[in-house]
Amino acid sequence: MTVVRTGGFAGLRREWRAEPDDHEASHWVTLIEECPWDAVAIGRRVTGADLFMWRLDARCGGEKREAELADPDVQGPWRDLIDAVREAGAPRPATRD
């Protein structure tokens, strides 16, 4: 599971990656399946000054899921999933977009 956050005041890119152990798999499957993946449009343009954008890539079984969300859309199950990935994986170095 990978989460990438871009934008913000400095336009920095941050990335977190979580690779849960087998004993944690059911918890992660639940987090992934609770998100409304089919309800988000990849490549949707949202504008706003210093707005964070979030890109999520998940593999659940053999299925790959992707989503791009504007910061205001990161609520409910999306917030739970992003927070879990950020807690599980150390961020990679920040870079400019």
Side-chain angles (χ1 to χ4, degrees):
M1 175 75 214
T2 304
V3 171
V4 177
R5 184 188 72 195
T6 58
F9 177 71
L12 297 179
R13 179 183 187 274
R14 302 238 5 223
E15 180 176 327
W16 297 265
R17 183 179 302 261
E19 296 180 18
D21 296 332
D22 289 341
H23 72 278
E24 299 174 313
S26 64
H27 171 69
W28 284 89
V29 167
T30 300
L31 285 171
I32 291 167
E33 288 181 348
E34 287 179 348
C35 293
W37 297 91
D38 295 332
V40 295
I42 299 296
R44 176 176 67 111
R45 299 298 298 165
V46 178
T47 58
D50 303 325
L51 186 66
F52 283 127
M53 294 297 296
W54 298 85
R55 177 158 182 91
L56 293 83
D57 294 302
R59 293 188 188 272
C60 193
E63 188 175 351
K64 180 175 166 104
R65 299 179 185 186
E66 299 176 309
E68 288 181 1
L69 304 165
D71 202 45
D73 297 328
V74 177
Q75 300 177 27
W78 293 117
R79 173 54 60 198
D80 296 340
L81 180 58
I82 289 170
D83 288 348
V85 173
R86 291 176 71 184
E87 288 174 17
R92 295 178 182 224
T95 58
R96 286 207 178 265
D97 278 348

